[in-house]
């Protein structure tokens, strides 16, 4: 049997994992062995009895910086143990995560995810161990762990057999690059609001055309930037 897709997470809060990844789609796939999760406590690689992972920044300034030697020890130990795959450092100064990047990572052997805390990680270890710096968006989290979970979730749902309904992923690639059309279910009238008539008509070609128009319209209004890159 070949090794399952594996997420290895370097963190000072290993108890945060699997967290939400242990539930729902990803949780079932984890139990079934479709993917593996290993949360590694960075403090296990500290050099002192206080298990320090951070120190004051050279040049001054607020807060603390994560030490390069501690992180390198963890990375090298995992590499010696056969850990394969790209190395990702979750940081607000990283390049924005894209679905294209997620697709590439999901197709590989897995990821090593380094979660920043404090002000961040010493830049030398980012370079020396070839971490790709990634952000999940322009807002401020209190650490990299929740961002790492978002990256893992995005990858795991693309693994073969994780999303039960193959039609869901197919439809997703079909509507690529657009925001989704609105969805409706019963009751047909709720609080005086009726479901759009076309959806009750049974005319599948008309329904497809209506959904396409809705998707284009909402994309134009909310995310015109997405339309510029459409073919
Ligand atoms: C005072 C400068 N701050 C940068 C905006 C310092 C700082 C704030 C928050 C440093 C680290 C963090 C914690 N955030 C993450 O580790 C993080 C993150 C995020 O905050 N937003 C979006 N993506 C990511 S990935 C990791």
């Amino acid at each position: 049997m070949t090794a399952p897709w594996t997420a290895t997470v370097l963190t000072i809060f290993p108890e945060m994992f699997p967290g939400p990844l242990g539930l729902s789609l990803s949780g079932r796939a984890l139990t079934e062995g479709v993917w593996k999760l290993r949360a590694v406590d960075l403090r296990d690689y500290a050099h002192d009895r206080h298990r320090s992972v951070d120190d004051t920044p050279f040049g001054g300034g607020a807060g603390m910086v994560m030490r390069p030697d501690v992180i390198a020890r963890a990375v090298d130990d995992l590499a010696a143990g056969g850990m394969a795959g790209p190395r990702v450092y979750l940081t607000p100064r990283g390049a924005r995560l894209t679905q294209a990047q997620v697709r590439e990572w999901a197709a590989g052997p897995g990821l090593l995810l380094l979660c920043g805390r404090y002000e961040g990680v010493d830049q030398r270890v980012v370079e020396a161990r070839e971490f790709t710096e990634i952000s999940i968006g322009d807002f401020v989290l209190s650490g990299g762990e929740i961002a790492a979970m978002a990256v893992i979730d995005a990858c795991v749902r693309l693994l073969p057999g994780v999303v039960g309904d193959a039609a869901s992923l197919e439809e997703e690639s079909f509507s690529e690059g657009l925001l989704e059309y609105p969805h409706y279910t019963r009751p047909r009238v709720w609080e005086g609001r009726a479901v759009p008539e076309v959806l009750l008509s049974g005319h599948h070609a008309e329904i497809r055309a209506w959904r396409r128009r809705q998707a284009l319209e909402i994309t134009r209004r909310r995310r015109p930037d997405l339309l510029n890159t459409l073919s």
Side-chain angles (χ1 to χ4, degrees), residues 5 97-108 154-155 158 172-173 176-177:
W5 194 91
L97 182 67
T98 63
Q99 188 64 17
Q101 181 68 266
V102 167
R103 266 187 239 110
E104 285 184 24
W105 288 340
C155 290
L158 297 182
E172 190 172 277
S173 66
E176 187 94 0

Side-chain angles (χ1 to χ4, degrees), residues 89-93 115-120 134-145 147-148:
Y89 166 37
L90 287 316
T91 168
R93 70 188 285 278
C115 302
R117 280 278 155 176
Y118 318 112
E119 293 311 300
I134 292 292
S135 160
I136 63 164
D138 294 340
F139 44 84
V140 183
L141 300 171
S142 43
E145 284 79 6

Side-chain angles (χ1 to χ4, degrees), residues 114-132:
L114 171 61
C115 302
R117 280 278 155 176
Y118 318 112
E119 293 311 300
V121 170
D122 185 298
Q123 195 61 31
R124 293 168 297 177
V125 74
V126 175
E127 293 165 10
R129 293 301 180 273
E130 300 187 283
F131 281 92
T132 302

Side-chain angles (χ1 to χ4, degrees), residues 21-33:
L21 298 171
L23 302 168
S24 189
L25 224 64
S26 55
R28 192 176 320 116
L30 188 58
T31 308
E32 288 171 351

Side-chain angles (χ1 to χ4, degrees), residues 189-211:
V189 180
W190 174 76
E191 292 193 351
R193 297 161 184 265
V195 168
E197 199 61 45
V198 63
L199 300 178
L200 311 173
S201 69
H203 293 117
H204 299 300
E206 269 183 50
I207 291 169
R208 279 172 74 87
W210 180 85
R211 285 176 167 167

